[in-house]
Amino acid sequence: MTRNYAKEYANYDGTPAVKKKRAARNKARRMLEREGVVHKGDGKDVDHKTPLSKGGTTVRSNLTAKPASANRSYPRKSDGSIK
């Protein structure tokens, strides 16, 4: 069975809420790239100390770089937010 990416984008990835979340993540990554904290392909994630799902914002004081394995290891709810 072939994955239908166009349908996925239309039904999920292209929705305004998901676009807004993706833009916030991209903004955070760009902020730390400009400072030289992270680089493309370095295996690091930009972590929001207070998650966006818990009311955190994308400001420098709320961002830190972590290895991807550490940042993606939190238990999550079905909507992707941290428990």
Side-chain angles (χ1 to χ4, degrees):
M1 183 169 165
T2 307
R3 191 168 171 181
N4 187 341
Y5 291 100
K7 184 177 178 183
E8 282 183 33
Y9 186 82
N11 292 333
Y12 179 72
D13 294 328
T15 61
V18 175
K19 284 183 176 181
K20 187 175 180 180
K21 288 179 187 177
R22 184 171 54 243
R25 289 191 308 268
N26 290 341
K27 178 182 175 186
R29 179 84 188 181
R30 281 192 312 271
M31 288 172 70
L32 293 190
E33 281 178 346
R34 280 188 219 116
E35 292 181 16
V37 177
V38 296
H39 305 284
K40 188 173 183 175
D42 64 2
K44 293 181 184 175
D45 280 354
V46 175
D47 178 48
H48 287 81
K49 295 174 189 174
T50 303
L52 297 174
S53 62
K54 301 264 187 196
T57 58
T58 302
V59 294
R60 180 59 183 103
S61 59
N62 190 39
L63 301 175
T64 187
K66 284 188 172 182
S69 60
N71 192 42
R72 299 177 192 186
S73 63
Y74 300 112
R76 307 236 177 219
K77 297 179 188 174
S78 61
D79 66 358
S81 63
I82 297 173
K83 288 185 180 179

